Amino acid sequence: MKELKDQIQKDILAFFKNEAVKILFILFALDTILLLVHFIHKYYVFGDPNTTTWIAGILSSTAFSITQDRSIAEYIQYFKEIFICLTLLIMALRNKSFIGWSILFLYFFADDMFSIHEILGLGLAESFNFPSIFGLRREDLGELTVTAVAGVIIFSLIIYGYLKENINGIRSKIVILFAMVLALVVFGVGVDMFDVLFDNFIIKGLLSASEDFGEMIIMSLIVWKTNIWQSLKTIEDWNKTYPGWKHSIYKP
C-alpha cells in the first residue's frame, strides 16, 4: 500500500514537472484571464453606465469580450486553429490518416476568420430560392446546407483514414481527436441552444461566455495534445538518427 502511495506521489510530481504540461497550464491561464477580463468588461463597465474609473476606459472596447467577433480572444482562437492545422499537416506527411483532421481545422480557421458558411449559405439560399420552414430563415437553411456538405466531405476523409489505419497508436490518437472535436460541438451548438431559452441579461451572458470559454479550453487542449504527439515523434526520429542525443522537455 505504501509503495502504491509513493508511486502515485511520484507520478503526480512528475506530471507537474513535465515541461509539456506547463504549456497546457499557460494556455489555460491565458484563457482564464481572458474570461475574467470579459466579465469585467461586460458586467462592470457596461453593467454600470455610471462607472468612470480608469479601468472602464481601458476595457470599454469590445476587443476585451470573448463573445464578440474580432476580439482578442477570437484572434487567439485563430492562432490555435492554424497551429493545430499545421501540426496535423506535419503529422500527415508521415501518416496520411491525419490529412482529414488537418483539413478540418483549416476549415474551422477559414470559417471563423472569413464567415464562409454564412456567406456561401446566403448565396446558396438566394440562388436556389430556399423556403423558410420550421421557423428557420432561408439563409439559415443555406448555412446548414454548406456546413453539412463540408462536414460530409471532411469526415469522410477522417473515417476513411481511420478505417485504413492498422496501427493502434494512431487509431487511439484519432479517437482522442474525435472526442475533443465532439466536445467543441457540444459547447458551440449545445450550449447555444439553451441561450435562446432565457431573457435574463445575466443568465444569457453567462451561457454565452461559457460557450466561448468552453471552446477556448478545448482548443487549448487540442493545441497541447497535438504538439506533444508531433514533438515526441520528432524526438523519436532524432534519437534514431543521433543515438547519443538527449531531450527531456517532454519527459518527466
Side-chain angles (χ1 to χ4, degrees):
M1 186 67 181
K2 185 178 183 300
E3 291 180 359
L4 177 60
K5 183 179 178 181
D6 290 342
Q7 184 59 48
I8 292 174
Q9 290 176 344
K10 288 179 181 179
D11 290 342
I12 293 173
L13 185 61
F15 177 84
F16 285 101
K17 282 185 175 181
N18 192 313
E19 293 292 334
V21 173
K22 292 178 183 178
I23 294 174
L24 180 63
F25 286 161
I26 290 171
L27 289 170
F28 279 177
L30 178 60
D31 292 336
T32 303
I33 289 170
L34 288 169
L35 177 67
L36 294 175
V37 170
H38 165 80
F39 282 136
I40 295 172
H41 161 82
K42 188 174 183 66
Y43 295 111
Y44 178 67
V45 177
F46 288 101
D48 183 2
N50 297 318
T51 301
T52 57
T53 59
W54 63 271
I55 197 170
I58 296 175
L59 300 181
S60 60
S61 171
T62 55
F64 293 102
S65 172
I66 66 173
T67 60
Q68 293 293 319
D69 292 336
R70 302 300 185 266
S71 64
I72 295 172
E74 186 161 279
Y75 277 110
I76 292 175
Q77 286 291 87
Y78 297 159
F79 173 78
K80 292 177 185 176
E81 288 164 351
I82 202 67
F83 178 89
I84 295 167
C85 170
L86 293 175
T87 302
L88 289 169
L89 180 60
I90 294 171
M91 294 172 65
L93 294 176
R94 292 190 296 260
N95 190 301
K96 295 179 181 179
S97 299
F98 294 105
I99 290 177
W101 289 104
S102 180
I103 294 173
L104 176 64
F105 282 93
L106 177 61
Y107 177 78
F108 283 162
F109 167 75
D111 191 52
D112 287 343
M113 187 74 175
F114 304 109
S115 303
I116 289 177
H117 80 280
E118 287 95 340
I119 295 172
L120 292 182
L122 179 59
L124 192 67
E126 291 179 347
S127 297
F128 291 92
N129 196 25
F130 282 5
S132 298
I133 56 174
F134 304 121
L136 296 173
R137 302 167 301 172
R138 62 177 187 169
E139 52 263 41
D140 293 331
L141 289 176
E143 291 175 12
L144 287 172
T145 302
V146 171
T147 301
V149 170
V152 168
I153 294 172
I154 295 172
F155 277 100
S156 293
L157 289 172
I158 289 172
I159 292 170
Y160 177 78
Y162 178 83
L163 294 177
K164 293 288 288 185
E165 184 55 61
N166 57 8
I167 301 175
N168 289 333
I170 300 297
R171 278 196 161 193
S172 66
K173 290 178 174 65
I174 293 174
V175 171
I176 291 171
L177 278 171
F178 181 79
M180 290 189 289
V181 169
L182 184 62
L184 276 177
V185 174
V186 169
F187 278 104
V189 179
V191 177
D192 189 51
M193 292 175 62
F194 285 102
D195 184 72
V196 298
L197 300 177
F198 300 94
D199 293 324
N200 184 275
F201 169 75
I202 295 177
I203 294 177
K204 287 181 72 70
L206 289 173
L207 285 173
S208 181
S210 67
E211 173 192 344
D212 287 279
F213 182 66
E215 292 177 358
M216 290 160 60
I217 289 293
I218 298 300
M219 201 67 76
S220 291
L221 275 171
I222 301 174
V223 168
W224 170 68
K225 200 65 180 174
T226 54
N227 180 52
I228 286 180
W229 290 339
Q230 167 55 24
S231 299
L232 287 176
K233 180 60 180 177
T234 301
I235 293 169
E236 180 183 322
D237 292 340
W238 268 79
N239 283 334
K240 288 179 180 178
T241 308
Y242 307 101
W245 182 80
K246 299 296 181 183
H247 196 295
S248 62
I249 288 182
Y250 292 89
K251 297 178 183 178

